[in-house]
Amino acid sequence: MNQQALTALLQRLDSAFGPSGFEEDIGLIFAEEMSGWCDEHRTDKLGSHLFWRKGEADAPVILLTADMDEPGFMLSSITSSGTLLLLPIGPPAPQPLQNQDYTLYTSQGMLPAVCGPQPAGQELPNGPLLALDVGARSRRAAENRGIAIGDPAVSSRRGESIGKSLFSGRSMAARSGCAALICTMRLLKRAAAPANIVACAAVQGRLGKRGMLAAAQALSPQLVLSFGAAGSGAPLLQPSSRLGEGPVIRAYGGMLPGNLLPRFLRCRLEAAARLHHIPWQLEVTAPSAAAGGPPPAGLSVPVVEIGIPCRYENTPVCLVDTGDILNAARLAAAFLEAPEAL
């Protein structure tokens, strides 16, 4: 996949509605993009999509994963004046929520909404709520438009290319990993690896990596390789990773609590990168607050995390470099095709 095709894929992925628990549209895109590049397509009980590239009989399973869900909110109550109050799905958004456009998914379809400025000195009740205005003058007027408790909402910002190779979008923290997963499967199609490769487009990543963990527990893979964002911070701060300088190999930290990459796997990843002249970065960070809690029970296999450097992670202006995504796929494919990968 060249840069132009990748940019078109990122635009398609970023435009699709898909907060945690509502990833159906992203799953359909995955099914179309993987058609012809896998041997079998399944969905599991949670709704994750599994794409198999079959290897030798009785060969071990290697699980490749990326989360489909973007930051979103869920309607928790409607005030008597028609204002909609929503709670974040998963970790709260790290940026101000006011003065932005949003899209609310209702029983009657997509509905535009806005979040205006919060009056000085006034706090919304019950924590970090998002207050949306759809122009309704009463609760009944809102309900008559098909709005109901439990409806999800996301930012309405449309993704766009910036400069020669950068792409900014509301869901790039997750969808850049989705693009890397699709590119990796296309690269692996030409190789005759002895393993059964399973690509998992996982649901509910922002809710404790539920989709990925469920797939790993069901398939009992020998290895999990996960794509995700590696926050590079704001331009004026000292970043832990830099845009355009290659994918991130996470030695410690990342999205799973307490995940430590075994040294022998780190050495194999670095050797594959050197052999194929793939730039890479090494990252050691404190475990992500989004991960939280103890290490997941039942996951007793190594987890390799390949990060896509991004700025403004989990905000509507998340910024990534297409070259880093392509090199993340190249690194994953080179690592999996190496004779010692299994």
Side-chain angles (χ1 to χ4, degrees):
M1 183 177 291
N2 59 30
Q3 182 176 308
Q4 183 177 3
L6 176 58
T7 299
L9 175 61
L10 291 176
Q11 183 71 65
R12 189 182 185 201
L13 289 168
D14 187 67
S15 299
F17 186 94
S20 305
F22 300 87
E23 300 96 340
E24 293 87 351
D25 288 351
I26 306 299
L28 292 176
I29 293 175
F30 257 98
E32 294 176 9
E33 294 291 338
M34 290 289 197
S35 178
W37 299 95
C38 65
D39 300 315
E40 186 177 345
H41 173 206
R42 308 177 191 171
T43 55
D44 66 13
K45 294 179 181 179
L46 277 180
S48 297
H49 288 252
L50 305 173
F51 302 90
W52 290 72
R53 192 180 69 79
K54 296 182 178 180
E56 299 173 356
D58 300 323
V61 170
I62 294 180
L63 180 63
L64 313 182
T65 75
D67 297 325
M68 295 190 288
D69 51 327
E70 64 179 310
F73 303 84
M74 183 174 287
L75 180 58
S76 61
S77 63
I78 307 173
T79 69
S80 59
S81 63
T83 299
L84 312 182
L85 300 181
L86 297 91
L87 286 167
I89 304 175
Q95 85 286 353
L97 306 175
Q98 292 79 32
N99 305 321
Q100 294 186 38
D101 296 326
Y102 290 85
T103 298
L104 184 72
Y105 189 89
T106 75
S107 61
Q108 297 181 14
M110 302 292 190
L111 188 66
V114 297
C115 180
Q118 181 176 311
Q122 292 190 17
E123 296 291 335
L124 290 171
N126 302 321
L129 293 176
L130 175 69
L132 291 186
D133 188 342
V134 293
R137 299 183 179 181
S138 67
R139 178 186 178 110
R140 180 178 294 274
E143 292 174 339
N144 287 341
R145 298 178 68 179
I147 298 171
I149 303 302
D151 288 344
V154 299
S155 168
S156 295
R157 181 174 183 266
R158 295 183 63 84
E160 59 182 345
S161 295
I162 296 179
K164 183 177 180 180
S165 63
L166 300 183
F167 188 90
S168 175
R170 68 169 196 254
S171 63
M172 280 298 100
R175 307 283 166 77
S176 59
C178 293
L181 179 59
I182 292 170
C183 291
T184 301
M185 288 294 281
R186 295 188 176 188
L187 290 174
L188 287 172
K189 182 66 178 179
R190 296 191 297 269
N196 290 289
I197 305 294
V198 182
C200 174
V203 299
Q204 300 184 32
R206 294 179 59 79
L207 299 178
K209 295 286 184 178
R210 289 194 67 201
M212 184 272 275
L213 293 174
Q217 291 166 359
L219 296 172
S220 298
Q222 181 162 309
L223 176 77
V224 176
L225 191 153
S226 179
F227 295 104
S232 65
L236 297 181
L237 302 179
Q238 180 64 35
S240 58
S241 60
R242 296 164 297 280
L243 266 66
E245 297 190 19
V248 170
I249 299 173
R250 280 178 158 154
Y252 178 66
M255 292 306 297
L256 282 176
N259 188 47
L260 178 66
L261 180 64
R263 181 172 176 79
F264 74 94
L265 288 176
R266 171 180 159 185
C267 291
R268 290 177 184 176
L269 282 163
E270 292 177 351
R274 284 192 293 266
L275 178 63
H276 294 272
H277 307 288
I278 302 169
W280 87 92
Q281 305 175 65
L282 192 65
E283 184 178 81
V284 176
T285 63
S288 168
L299 189 60
S300 57
V301 298
V303 178
V304 174
E305 289 195 58
I306 296 181
I308 313 297
C310 69
R311 291 182 190 156
Y312 322 117
E313 183 179 0
N314 294 322
T315 74
V317 294
C318 185
L319 190 65
V320 298
D321 190 293
T322 54
D324 291 333
I325 297 173
L326 293 172
N327 280 321
R330 290 179 60 213
L331 176 59
F335 168 71
L336 293 172
E337 292 169 4
E340 68 274 13
L342 298 180

